[in-house]
Amino acid sequence: MKIAIDAMGGDYGPSITIEAVSRVLDLNKSIDFELFGNFDKAKPFINKFNLQNTSRINFIHTKEVVESNDKPSFALRAKKQSSMRLAIDSIKEKKNDACVSAGNTGALLGIARFVLKTLPGVSKPAICGVLPGINKVTRVLDLGANIECSAQDLRSFAIMGSVLSKSAGGILKPTIGLLNIGEEEVKGNDIIKATAELLAAGDLNYCGFVEGDDIFKGTVDVIVCDGFVGNIALKAGEGAAKLLSGIAREEFSKNLFTKLSYLFAKKVTSNLKNRVDHRNYNGASLLGLRGTVVKSHGSADSVSFQKAIMVAVNEVLQKVPEVIGTQLAD
């Protein structure tokens, strides 16, 4: 398997992406990489992690980089030789099996959609991420790719989320919930109600409406919503996690007694932090494309970016785009 890496993407670029690649190479002998980026900027980190002589990495030098503030249309039109664009091009050309980038989300989605095209039956690709829950993790889509969606779009999201949960998550019959402002059938706008009818009439394991708090309860395996709602829910969850972490840190550092109490609660707080640590859930899948593309969080560290790489690896192994295409055709 060979994975294309946009080495320049994200807040930290090669310092993070190359360290993550180094870790994956050490742990997985069957995975090779093609890195796209500015070689002069990447070389110090290639040397740092002793990757200069390995045959398992091919580095493609690029002068252009898609910046975080570049508009998708500008990145698509004016940066055809950027590390992001060439990495995605390599998927279409069958040189690599998947692409991972921590770069500009809008540009990544726009370029991937233009270059790879959508699967038959998909009018809009969706961003699907994994969020932690009390009982289990939940896959949520769309997390920001599409502000406006029709009932047919949301139905295709449900199919894609179900396939990913089954293929990559190992769940035999994933439960599907439709995000709404209440569980009652009379709640929601016309699009939500129409989507509910489509899902109820299909053969997915549709469980009905769910609310915002169900995202982190683990009530269902897959939650479907439009990108506007999904992105707000995602950012609200990240903000809540930071709030709780900040409050806990403040309370434990108030005085000598609270500092001592932290020593007794250290294992518990460590386990809690690990369960909600966004780094453990990094790697959002761009579903509905004729290829595997995974978006890493822009502020990811090397551990987090490594997780995103493994998300891509798992999707390639499970042939997720092909399975989604078959499911949609059926």
Side-chain angles (χ1 to χ4, degrees):
M1 187 187 304
K2 199 170 184 180
I3 307 297
I5 301 292
D6 172 14
M8 309 306 293
D11 297 343
Y12 309 108
S15 65
I16 292 303
T17 57
I18 292 176
E19 182 177 0
V21 164
S22 174
R23 289 179 175 175
V24 176
L25 287 172
D26 289 340
L27 296 172
N28 301 270
K29 302 302 181 184
S30 61
I31 302 172
D32 292 347
F33 290 94
E34 192 158 60
L35 276 59
F36 296 81
N38 187 302
F39 185 75
D40 293 333
K41 293 182 178 180
K43 186 176 180 180
F45 304 103
I46 292 175
N47 294 336
K48 178 180 179 181
F49 298 105
N50 299 315
L51 300 176
Q52 60 269 43
N53 296 319
T54 179
S55 61
R56 295 175 60 194
I57 288 181
N58 183 37
F59 200 101
I60 306 297
H61 175 69
T62 65
K63 293 182 179 180
E64 296 178 349
V65 176
V66 174
E67 305 293 347
S68 60
N69 58 350
D70 283 343
K71 291 184 178 180
S73 58
F74 176 77
L76 183 61
R77 184 181 66 255
K79 295 192 173 181
K80 296 180 181 180
Q81 298 300 312
S82 66
S83 56
M84 181 185 290
R85 175 63 180 267
L86 293 180
I88 294 174
D89 283 346
S90 73
I91 307 304
K92 182 181 179 181
E93 296 162 0
K94 306 295 183 183
K95 294 179 179 178
N96 295 300
D97 298 297
C99 170
V100 183
S101 174
N104 183 319
T105 303
L108 182 68
L109 183 65
I111 293 172
R113 184 174 182 176
F114 175 79
V115 173
L116 300 177
K117 312 302 181 188
T118 56
L119 292 164
V122 177
S123 62
K124 297 177 180 178
I127 300 174
C128 182
V130 178
L131 299 179
I134 297 174
N135 302 314
K136 57 186 176 183
V137 299
T138 301
R139 285 178 167 80
V140 182
L141 71 165
D142 176 26
L143 291 179
N146 307 286
I147 302 302
E148 296 181 355
C149 297
S150 66
Q152 288 76 17
D153 292 330
L154 295 176
R155 176 179 175 273
S156 69
F157 293 173
I159 293 172
M160 294 190 294
S162 180
V163 169
L164 185 62
S165 189
K166 185 185 299 183
S167 300
I171 300 170
L172 184 61
K173 198 171 182 181
T175 51
I176 312 293
L178 186 58
L179 192 60
N180 200 359
I181 58 173
E183 296 182 359
E184 299 85 356
E185 291 184 5
V186 296
K187 295 287 184 69
N189 57 34
D190 291 341
I191 292 176
I192 292 295
K193 292 177 182 178
T195 305
E197 292 181 5
L198 288 174
L199 294 178
D203 58 0
L204 294 174
N205 191 10
Y206 176 59
C207 299
F209 295 140
V210 294
E211 298 182 76
D213 58 344
D214 288 304
I215 295 174
F216 300 102
K217 283 181 181 178
T219 306
V220 292
D221 298 306
V222 179
I223 290 181
V224 176
C225 58
D226 63 51
F228 184 86
V229 172
N231 192 262
I232 290 175
L234 173 67
K235 297 301 172 61
E238 291 177 351
K242 291 178 181 177
L243 171 65
L244 292 175
S245 176
I247 291 174
R249 188 163 50 248
E250 182 181 314
E251 291 297 322
F252 276 123
S253 61
K254 275 188 172 181
N255 52 54
L256 180 60
F257 176 76
T258 56
K259 290 178 180 178
L260 289 173
S261 66
Y262 169 74
L263 296 177
F264 292 100
K266 189 174 182 179
K267 183 174 179 57
V268 175
T269 55
S270 177
N271 290 339
L272 174 62
K273 181 181 178 182
N274 186 59
R275 286 185 63 180
V276 300
D277 189 349
H278 67 87
R279 297 186 307 169
N280 294 325
Y281 307 96
N282 187 42
S285 307
L286 273 58
L287 300 181
L289 299 169
R290 298 173 187 256
T292 299
V293 179
V294 172
K295 170 68 173 72
S296 167
H297 202 292
S299 62
D301 61 10
S302 61
V303 173
S304 186
F305 195 81
Q306 180 183 349
K307 295 282 185 181
I309 293 174
M310 297 314 299
V311 169
V313 168
N314 195 24
E315 290 186 24
V316 172
L317 290 173
Q318 299 300 325
K319 300 181 178 179
V320 169
E322 293 90 335
V323 177
I324 288 176
T326 301
Q327 187 78 18
L328 287 168
D330 292 341

